[in-house]
Amino acid sequence: MEDHTVTGVAARPAPVLREYVDSYVGFDLRGLPTGVHCGPPSRALTAVISLSDPLEVAAGVDDGSPVTRFGSVAGGLMCRSVAIHHDGRQHGVQVSLTPLGARAVYGMPAAELAHRLVPLDDLLGALAAEVVDRLRSATTWAARFTALDELLLRAVGNAASRGHVHRVRPEVAEAWRRLLAARGRVQVGTVAAELGWSRRYLTDRFRGEVGLSPKTAARVLRFEHAHELAAARDPLPWGDVAAVSGYADQAHLVRDWREFTGRTPTAWRRGEVLLGAG
């Protein structure tokens, strides 16, 4: 591989935002081979603000999905990876919102964004342009993250002033917390019973807020754990990845990996040029 430089800086948002925003990640990748990065399904609604060229993103990997250019892009919870086409250079900031924070920041339930990629302008209006300007004019990651705190707090205030923030049903919020705490290794029927709801009623209400059924959300969380293990600098063997992340066996891991990335685990590792870049 040619010489390359990789910078990745993670930060937590201001405490008052943490119910709505999980994390910020600044990235500056240079000199990597041209390729397609699989942005995997996860627990977060992801927004990416480019600090250089527009992002070229497709809503699926190796499935013929059209590639769209975005200066800044936001998406809901997904059941498949998005394909981020790059020429070996990526520079920007990723913001990860919690599903229950979509109402507070965007003024809509996460379900309205499920399986979709949209320009950030469509969600934040004129504030999106200010986000881009502030992040590009800042000279340090710390200054960028401080600007995000300020601007996202304003977005929360804007949504509240327009009356767009409605309380999430506490049972739905509690179901999400339990799924998250168990990383998907929990029986949906058990959660429903403990909340005093039928499984069907929980599924309907949960999907209406989050955009995925509780069962699908649990699968995504389990896959997210497996993906973190597989993407580590010194990854475990695939059989161990499956066991640690709660799959019955490696075959079940492979099934989910194909569904969520469009590739087998081996093909994913071979094609993901950003692995080990740091």
PDB file of all heavy atoms in Angstrom, residues 168-190:
ATOM      1  N   VAL A 168     -41.731  10.585  23.439  1.00  0.00           N
ATOM      2  CA  VAL A 168     -41.714   9.189  23.015  1.00  0.00           C
ATOM      3  C   VAL A 168     -42.388   8.352  24.098  1.00  0.00           C
ATOM      4  O   VAL A 168     -42.176   8.579  25.296  1.00  0.00           O
ATOM      5  CB  VAL A 168     -40.262   8.715  22.803  1.00  0.00           C
ATOM      6  CG1 VAL A 168     -40.225   7.241  22.425  1.00  0.00           C
ATOM      7  CG2 VAL A 168     -39.573   9.558  21.741  1.00  0.00           C
ATOM      8  N   ARG A 169     -43.218   7.389  23.687  1.00  0.00           N
ATOM      9  CA  ARG A 169     -43.865   6.531  24.683  1.00  0.00           C
ATOM     10  C   ARG A 169     -42.800   5.926  25.591  1.00  0.00           C
ATOM     11  O   ARG A 169     -41.804   5.359  25.116  1.00  0.00           O
ATOM     12  CB  ARG A 169     -44.638   5.406  23.988  1.00  0.00           C
ATOM     13  CG  ARG A 169     -45.911   5.852  23.298  1.00  0.00           C
ATOM     14  CD  ARG A 169     -47.004   6.202  24.308  1.00  0.00           C
ATOM     15  NE  ARG A 169     -47.416   5.091  25.134  1.00  0.00           N
ATOM     16  CZ  ARG A 169     -48.465   4.307  24.869  1.00  0.00           C
ATOM     17  NH1 ARG A 169     -49.184   4.492  23.779  1.00  0.00           N
ATOM     18  NH2 ARG A 169     -48.791   3.332  25.696  1.00  0.00           N
ATOM     19  N   PRO A 170     -42.961   6.011  26.920  1.00  0.00           N
ATOM     20  CA  PRO A 170     -41.923   5.497  27.816  1.00  0.00           C
ATOM     21  C   PRO A 170     -41.663   4.008  27.621  1.00  0.00           C
ATOM     22  O   PRO A 170     -40.533   3.542  27.818  1.00  0.00           O
ATOM     23  CB  PRO A 170     -42.468   5.814  29.215  1.00  0.00           C
ATOM     24  CG  PRO A 170     -43.922   6.078  29.036  1.00  0.00           C
ATOM     25  CD  PRO A 170     -44.074   6.635  27.664  1.00  0.00           C
ATOM     26  N   GLU A 171     -42.692   3.242  27.238  1.00  0.00           N
ATOM     27  CA  GLU A 171     -42.489   1.807  27.010  1.00  0.00           C
ATOM     28  C   GLU A 171     -41.570   1.575  25.812  1.00  0.00           C
ATOM     29  O   GLU A 171     -40.740   0.659  25.825  1.00  0.00           O
ATOM     30  CB  GLU A 171     -43.832   1.108  26.781  1.00  0.00           C
ATOM     31  CG  GLU A 171     -44.751   1.110  27.997  1.00  0.00           C
ATOM     32  CD  GLU A 171     -45.646   2.335  28.045  1.00  0.00           C
ATOM     33  OE1 GLU A 171     -45.411   3.289  27.261  1.00  0.00           O
ATOM     34  OE2 GLU A 171     -46.578   2.349  28.861  1.00  0.00           O
ATOM     35  N   VAL A 172     -41.713   2.399  24.771  1.00  0.00           N
ATOM     36  CA  VAL A 172     -40.843   2.274  23.597  1.00  0.00           C
ATOM     37  C   VAL A 172     -39.415   2.652  23.966  1.00  0.00           C
ATOM     38  O   VAL A 172     -38.452   1.968  23.590  1.00  0.00           O
ATOM     39  CB  VAL A 172     -41.362   3.152  22.441  1.00  0.00           C
ATOM     40  CG1 VAL A 172     -40.353   3.203  21.298  1.00  0.00           C
ATOM     41  CG2 VAL A 172     -42.711   2.639  21.944  1.00  0.00           C
ATOM     42  N   ALA A 173     -39.275   3.745  24.715  1.00  0.00           N
ATOM     43  CA  ALA A 173     -37.941   4.162  25.144  1.00  0.00           C
ATOM     44  C   ALA A 173     -37.282   3.082  26.013  1.00  0.00           C
ATOM     45  O   ALA A 173     -36.094   2.794  25.867  1.00  0.00           O
ATOM     46  CB  ALA A 173     -38.029   5.480  25.918  1.00  0.00           C
ATOM     47  N   GLU A 174     -38.051   2.475  26.897  1.00  0.00           N
ATOM     48  CA  GLU A 174     -37.500   1.432  27.760  1.00  0.00           C
ATOM     49  C   GLU A 174     -37.140   0.187  26.956  1.00  0.00           C
ATOM     50  O   GLU A 174     -36.110  -0.453  27.216  1.00  0.00           O
ATOM     51  CB  GLU A 174     -38.492   1.075  28.865  1.00  0.00           C
ATOM     52  CG  GLU A 174     -38.021  -0.025  29.812  1.00  0.00           C
ATOM     53  CD  GLU A 174     -36.750   0.328  30.565  1.00  0.00           C
ATOM     54  OE1 GLU A 174     -36.426   1.530  30.689  1.00  0.00           O
ATOM     55  OE2 GLU A 174     -36.077  -0.611  31.041  1.00  0.00           O
ATOM     56  N   ALA A 175     -37.960  -0.156  25.969  1.00  0.00           N
ATOM     57  CA  ALA A 175     -37.636  -1.309  25.114  1.00  0.00           C
ATOM     58  C   ALA A 175     -36.325  -1.072  24.383  1.00  0.00           C
ATOM     59  O   ALA A 175     -35.475  -1.977  24.289  1.00  0.00           O
ATOM     60  CB  ALA A 175     -38.766  -1.566  24.122  1.00  0.00           C
ATOM     61  N   TRP A 176     -36.145   0.150  23.863  1.00  0.00           N
ATOM     62  CA  TRP A 176     -34.880   0.454  23.175  1.00  0.00           C
ATOM     63  C   TRP A 176     -33.704   0.359  24.142  1.00  0.00           C
ATOM     64  O   TRP A 176     -32.659  -0.203  23.810  1.00  0.00           O
ATOM     65  CB  TRP A 176     -34.947   1.847  22.550  1.00  0.00           C
ATOM     66  CG  TRP A 176     -33.622   2.285  22.004  1.00  0.00           C
ATOM     67  CD1 TRP A 176     -32.783   3.220  22.522  1.00  0.00           C
ATOM     68  CD2 TRP A 176     -32.948   1.755  20.847  1.00  0.00           C
ATOM     69  NE1 TRP A 176     -31.635   3.313  21.768  1.00  0.00           N
ATOM     70  CE2 TRP A 176     -31.712   2.430  20.735  1.00  0.00           C
ATOM     71  CE3 TRP A 176     -33.283   0.781  19.900  1.00  0.00           C
ATOM     72  CZ2 TRP A 176     -30.803   2.157  19.705  1.00  0.00           C
ATOM     73  CZ3 TRP A 176     -32.378   0.516  18.870  1.00  0.00           C
ATOM     74  CH2 TRP A 176     -31.160   1.190  18.785  1.00  0.00           C
ATOM     75  N   ARG A 177     -33.858   0.885  25.356  1.00  0.00           N
ATOM     76  CA  ARG A 177     -32.769   0.827  26.327  1.00  0.00           C
ATOM     77  C   ARG A 177     -32.398  -0.622  26.645  1.00  0.00           C
ATOM     78  O   ARG A 177     -31.210  -0.955  26.785  1.00  0.00           O
ATOM     79  CB  ARG A 177     -33.153   1.575  27.599  1.00  0.00           C
ATOM     80  CG  ARG A 177     -33.051   3.091  27.492  1.00  0.00           C
ATOM     81  CD  ARG A 177     -33.178   3.766  28.852  1.00  0.00           C
ATOM     82  NE  ARG A 177     -34.545   3.722  29.341  1.00  0.00           N
ATOM     83  CZ  ARG A 177     -35.446   4.674  29.120  1.00  0.00           C
ATOM     84  NH1 ARG A 177     -35.120   5.730  28.403  1.00  0.00           N
ATOM     85  NH2 ARG A 177     -36.656   4.574  29.615  1.00  0.00           N
ATOM     86  N   ARG A 178     -33.398  -1.494  26.752  1.00  0.00           N
ATOM     87  CA  ARG A 178     -33.103  -2.894  27.079  1.00  0.00           C
ATOM     88  C   ARG A 178     -32.414  -3.607  25.916  1.00  0.00           C
ATOM     89  O   ARG A 178     -31.489  -4.399  26.127  1.00  0.00           O
ATOM     90  CB  ARG A 178     -34.395  -3.620  27.469  1.00  0.00           C
ATOM     91  CG  ARG A 178     -34.996  -3.096  28.749  1.00  0.00           C
ATOM     92  CD  ARG A 178     -36.145  -3.948  29.241  1.00  0.00           C
ATOM     93  NE  ARG A 178     -36.789  -3.347  30.404  1.00  0.00           N
ATOM     94  CZ  ARG A 178     -37.556  -4.008  31.238  1.00  0.00           C
ATOM     95  NH1 ARG A 178     -37.800  -5.302  31.051  1.00  0.00           N
ATOM     96  NH2 ARG A 178     -38.116  -3.396  32.252  1.00  0.00           N
ATOM     97  N   LEU A 179     -32.867  -3.349  24.700  1.00  0.00           N
ATOM     98  CA  LEU A 179     -32.204  -3.930  23.535  1.00  0.00           C
ATOM     99  C   LEU A 179     -30.753  -3.476  23.459  1.00  0.00           C
ATOM    100  O   LEU A 179     -29.839  -4.255  23.177  1.00  0.00           O
ATOM    101  CB  LEU A 179     -32.943  -3.543  22.254  1.00  0.00           C
ATOM    102  CG  LEU A 179     -34.311  -4.168  22.016  1.00  0.00           C
ATOM    103  CD1 LEU A 179     -34.978  -3.517  20.807  1.00  0.00           C
ATOM    104  CD2 LEU A 179     -34.202  -5.674  21.814  1.00  0.00           C
ATOM    105  N   LEU A 180     -30.541  -2.185  23.696  1.00  0.00           N
ATOM    106  CA  LEU A 180     -29.201  -1.611  23.608  1.00  0.00           C
ATOM    107  C   LEU A 180     -28.289  -2.187  24.680  1.00  0.00           C
ATOM    108  O   LEU A 180     -27.141  -2.566  24.404  1.00  0.00           O
ATOM    109  CB  LEU A 180     -29.312  -0.095  23.758  1.00  0.00           C
ATOM    110  CG  LEU A 180     -28.126   0.757  23.338  1.00  0.00           C
ATOM    111  CD1 LEU A 180     -27.826   0.573  21.864  1.00  0.00           C
ATOM    112  CD2 LEU A 180     -28.405   2.223  23.643  1.00  0.00           C
ATOM    113  N   ALA A 181     -28.797  -2.269  25.911  1.00  0.00           N
ATOM    114  CA  ALA A 181     -27.976  -2.780  27.015  1.00  0.00           C
ATOM    115  C   ALA A 181     -27.555  -4.225  26.775  1.00  0.00           C
ATOM    116  O   ALA A 181     -26.444  -4.629  27.140  1.00  0.00           O
ATOM    117  CB  ALA A 181     -28.743  -2.665  28.328  1.00  0.00           C
ATOM    118  N   ALA A 182     -28.424  -5.005  26.141  1.00  0.00           N
ATOM    119  CA  ALA A 182     -28.131  -6.422  25.885  1.00  0.00           C
ATOM    120  C   ALA A 182     -27.437  -6.638  24.544  1.00  0.00           C
ATOM    121  O   ALA A 182     -27.146  -7.779  24.195  1.00  0.00           O
ATOM    122  CB  ALA A 182     -29.425  -7.230  25.921  1.00  0.00           C
ATOM    123  N   ARG A 183     -27.183  -5.554  23.794  1.00  0.00           N
ATOM    124  CA  ARG A 183     -26.603  -5.629  22.453  1.00  0.00           C
ATOM    125  C   ARG A 183     -27.373  -6.613  21.580  1.00  0.00           C
ATOM    126  O   ARG A 183     -26.800  -7.387  20.826  1.00  0.00           O
ATOM    127  CB  ARG A 183     -25.114  -5.986  22.513  1.00  0.00           C
ATOM    128  CG  ARG A 183     -24.314  -5.073  23.412  1.00  0.00           C
ATOM    129  CD  ARG A 183     -22.849  -4.978  23.058  1.00  0.00           C
ATOM    130  NE  ARG A 183     -22.649  -4.191  21.845  1.00  0.00           N
ATOM    131  CZ  ARG A 183     -21.476  -3.664  21.486  1.00  0.00           C
ATOM    132  NH1 ARG A 183     -20.405  -3.844  22.245  1.00  0.00           N
ATOM    133  NH2 ARG A 183     -21.356  -2.967  20.367  1.00  0.00           N
ATOM    134  N   GLY A 184     -28.685  -6.596  21.733  1.00  0.00           N
ATOM    135  CA  GLY A 184     -29.552  -7.427  20.901  1.00  0.00           C
ATOM    136  C   GLY A 184     -29.778  -8.827  21.419  1.00  0.00           C
ATOM    137  O   GLY A 184     -30.577  -9.570  20.841  1.00  0.00           O
ATOM    138  N   ARG A 185     -29.135  -9.194  22.495  1.00  0.00           N
ATOM    139  CA  ARG A 185     -29.243 -10.565  23.010  1.00  0.00           C
ATOM    140  C   ARG A 185     -30.345 -10.643  24.058  1.00  0.00           C
ATOM    141  O   ARG A 185     -30.100 -10.878  25.249  1.00  0.00           O
ATOM    142  CB  ARG A 185     -27.897 -11.010  23.573  1.00  0.00           C
ATOM    143  CG  ARG A 185     -26.775 -10.975  22.548  1.00  0.00           C
ATOM    144  CD  ARG A 185     -25.419 -11.305  23.121  1.00  0.00           C
ATOM    145  NE  ARG A 185     -25.310 -12.703  23.513  1.00  0.00           N
ATOM    146  CZ  ARG A 185     -24.179 -13.277  23.891  1.00  0.00           C
ATOM    147  NH1 ARG A 185     -23.051 -12.577  23.930  1.00  0.00           N
ATOM    148  NH2 ARG A 185     -24.144 -14.539  24.227  1.00  0.00           N
ATOM    149  N   VAL A 186     -31.576 -10.429  23.602  1.00  0.00           N
ATOM    150  CA  VAL A 186     -32.729 -10.443  24.497  1.00  0.00           C
ATOM    151  C   VAL A 186     -33.944 -10.883  23.696  1.00  0.00           C
ATOM    152  O   VAL A 186     -34.032 -10.618  22.492  1.00  0.00           O
ATOM    153  CB  VAL A 186     -32.937  -9.037  25.116  1.00  0.00           C
ATOM    154  CG1 VAL A 186     -33.265  -8.002  24.053  1.00  0.00           C
ATOM    155  CG2 VAL A 186     -34.007  -9.060  26.198  1.00  0.00           C
ATOM    156  N   GLN A 187     -34.863 -11.551  24.342  1.00  0.00           N
ATOM    157  CA  GLN A 187     -36.083 -12.013  23.686  1.00  0.00           C
ATOM    158  C   GLN A 187     -37.123 -10.895  23.682  1.00  0.00           C
ATOM    159  O   GLN A 187     -37.460 -10.346  24.730  1.00  0.00           O
ATOM    160  CB  GLN A 187     -36.638 -13.239  24.406  1.00  0.00           C
ATOM    161  CG  GLN A 187     -35.735 -14.462  24.330  1.00  0.00           C
ATOM    162  CD  GLN A 187     -35.571 -14.973  22.907  1.00  0.00           C
ATOM    163  OE1 GLN A 187     -36.534 -15.020  22.133  1.00  0.00           O
ATOM    164  NE2 GLN A 187     -34.355 -15.344  22.557  1.00  0.00           N
ATOM    165  N   VAL A 188     -37.622 -10.562  22.491  1.00  0.00           N
ATOM    166  CA  VAL A 188     -38.584  -9.471  22.370  1.00  0.00           C
ATOM    167  C   VAL A 188     -39.855  -9.779  23.167  1.00  0.00           C
ATOM    168  O   VAL A 188     -40.427  -8.897  23.812  1.00  0.00           O
ATOM    169  CB  VAL A 188     -38.919  -9.200  20.898  1.00  0.00           C
ATOM    170  CG1 VAL A 188     -40.025  -8.148  20.765  1.00  0.00           C
ATOM    171  CG2 VAL A 188     -37.668  -8.754  20.143  1.00  0.00           C
ATOM    172  N   GLY A 189     -40.297 -11.033  23.146  1.00  0.00           N
ATOM    173  CA  GLY A 189     -41.487 -11.400  23.910  1.00  0.00           C
ATOM    174  C   GLY A 189     -41.314 -11.154  25.389  1.00  0.00           C
ATOM    175  O   GLY A 189     -42.261 -10.726  26.080  1.00  0.00           O
ATOM    176  N   THR A 190     -40.121 -11.409  25.898  1.00  0.00           N
ATOM    177  CA  THR A 190     -39.840 -11.170  27.312  1.00  0.00           C
ATOM    178  C   THR A 190     -39.902  -9.686  27.635  1.00  0.00           C
ATOM    179  O   THR A 190     -40.481  -9.274  28.653  1.00  0.00           O
ATOM    180  CB  THR A 190     -38.450 -11.729  27.681  1.00  0.00           C
ATOM    181  OG1 THR A 190     -38.418 -13.136  27.417  1.00  0.00           O
ATOM    182  CG2 THR A 190     -38.128 -11.471  29.141  1.00  0.00           C
TER     183      THR A 190
END
